[in-house]
Amino acid sequence: MTALDERPAQADSATTTVSVAEYLGARLLQAGVGHLFGVPGDFNLDLLDGLATVEGLAWVGSPNELGAGYAADAYARTRGLGVVVTTYGVGELSVLNAVAGAAAEDVPLLHVVGSPRRAAVEAGALVHHTLADGDFGHFSRAAAEVTVVAETLTLERAAEQIDTVVLAAMTERKPTYLAVPQDLALARVDAGPLEHPLTAASDPAALARFETRLAELLADAQRPVLVVGQLVPRFGLAVQLADLAARAGVAVVTQLSARGVLDADHPCSAGDSAGTMLPNGSADVVAAADVVVQVGTLLTAELTGFGSHRRPDADTPYLAATTAGFGADPGGRVLFPDALAALDRALQGRRGPRWATAPAGPAPRVEEAGPLTQAQTWQALAELLPSGTALLADTGTAYWGAAGMPLPADTVFGGQPVWSSIGYALPAVLGQGLADRTRRPVLVIGDGAAQMTVQELSTIAAAGLAPVVLLLDNRGYTIERALQSPRAGYNDVAAWDWCALVPALTGGRGLATAVSTAAGLRTALTDAFAAPDRLTLVQAHLDADDTPPLIDALARLATAAKG
């Protein structure tokens, strides 16, 4: 893909202008975006026609806007920016849940909306896709609640506004919103700014202050620990973190939202962290530390074992997307990559002992006789999952089962532990697969979650992706059964014929098989992993009340938290 700072895209050599759509496309290419996800609608058709002229941008249409938003979210987690394009009103409200999820999960997602013509807005016209009240601001105001920047484009400031939303999403790792009026999509703007890539900078004085105090804290630390959160993978800094830890010999625990950023066999890995909810000793490592550094963390209930973690104090260093400080200090403007580099330098000066992970003993074997169980399922997947995949786990038994499963080396792990919207991970396969074709997506999802977004299998197949899908069929929402009212009818879902549905949705390009024993599951997974070019769904029949251990721990802590 050619960078636009090297080749001004679609520029008119006589006037050095481009259309608004071309300017937007150029900035997206510079940011590493090669795919646009979305659904067409009459208010965005001029915009889509303009974007179609930008070489290097591919359109990926989805059956609905929500699936497109989830796909763009997963794409952004790998590429550093994802884009979803919808029409005004009906389209943008359909994707709002995905945008809110991106806000909660620190995902740089740009939502581009084709909006009505300026004349219609100025006249308060009663046109379709509105509330027929003459107020065209309802939906941009809603978007402002879940984005860090929300702009409605004007001709006078079009280039500036596009630059603002793109740069803000990439810098803050949060969603942004850009409404493009229908009559401005093909208007001409100055192409000159495209010669200069978008950049953001830290405040040098704030960075120096943070590094100085951090170095003082760490100089004599005997047992420092880094608690690593989702901003490390969001900024694509997993390799830098691993190198930093190895050079400094400092213990690292990873929140579930950052699972996989450090391989389990890394000498400094002290395991995943979720307070005392995880029985792996990571909570004890953090409790015994003399300095705990919060590296891009988010301290929500589920990520901290419902508050069973060690709480930060006034001296606790933290690294956030655009600030770095200590305790409740708001800190100065320090961008996350710069703060991580400062942490690296500060750690090199410490004089304490090096951390070394104790060798892990062999995992206890699970008896494989009888009907298929959750324990057998996760044991089989852990043993058969190839390295180098992208393992995506949907909210519910799928996520909490996968969270307790050892990962092979070089595994990208994805899910939504903060927003926890069921159905997210199936469209996420599309975004992850297109963002990085070197990794085969492997999806684990419950039947209830899959029913939310299953139509995206058609787009996945059309895109030439061949994931392995492990469908946990327990006839409903087992995580909700574990939390409350296990016999309630509202936790049941209708039975689907998955083995017939998969070929139908994929045009015959997908294969499905059903299993109900551990031996059957192992055979099906072995066959699926051995066929890298075939989309395969394995329907695993499980008891409705069977849960992975972390669901039981989650339920106990959630019940206790209610008092």
Side-chain angles (χ1 to χ4, degrees), residues 414-431:
Q416 261 198 341
V418 180
W419 187 240
S420 295
S421 182
I422 68 170
Y424 161 81
L426 199 153
V429 166
L430 175 64

Side-chain angles (χ1 to χ4, degrees), residues 264-310:
D265 61 358
H266 188 286
C268 295
S269 173
D272 295 325
S273 169
T276 60
M277 190 167 71
L278 296 178
N280 61 359
S282 63
D284 296 332
V285 172
V286 176
D290 48 6
V291 177
V292 176
V293 185
Q294 299 284 341
V295 185
T297 58
L298 194 60
L299 303 181
T300 63
E302 288 78 7
L303 294 181
T304 63
F306 286 85
S308 62
H309 67 304
R310 173 173 167 173

Side-chain angles (χ1 to χ4, degrees), residues 95-145:
V95 82
L96 191 60
N97 180 39
V99 177
E105 302 269 340
D106 290 324
V107 177
L109 175 65
L110 171 58
H111 180 196
V112 181
V113 176
S115 62
R117 295 177 177 277
R118 290 172 295 170
V121 174
E122 291 165 3
L126 305 186
V127 299
H128 65 294
H129 295 346
T130 73
L131 301 185
D133 62 356
D135 184 350
F136 286 80
H138 290 295
F139 313 126
S140 60
R141 291 194 293 270
E145 292 292 323

Side-chain angles (χ1 to χ4, degrees), residues 239-260:
V239 172
Q240 290 85 337
L241 174 77
D243 292 345
L244 173 160
R247 286 193 300 271
V250 60
V252 176
V253 300
T254 50
Q255 290 192 303
L256 294 177
S257 56
R259 191 157 196 255

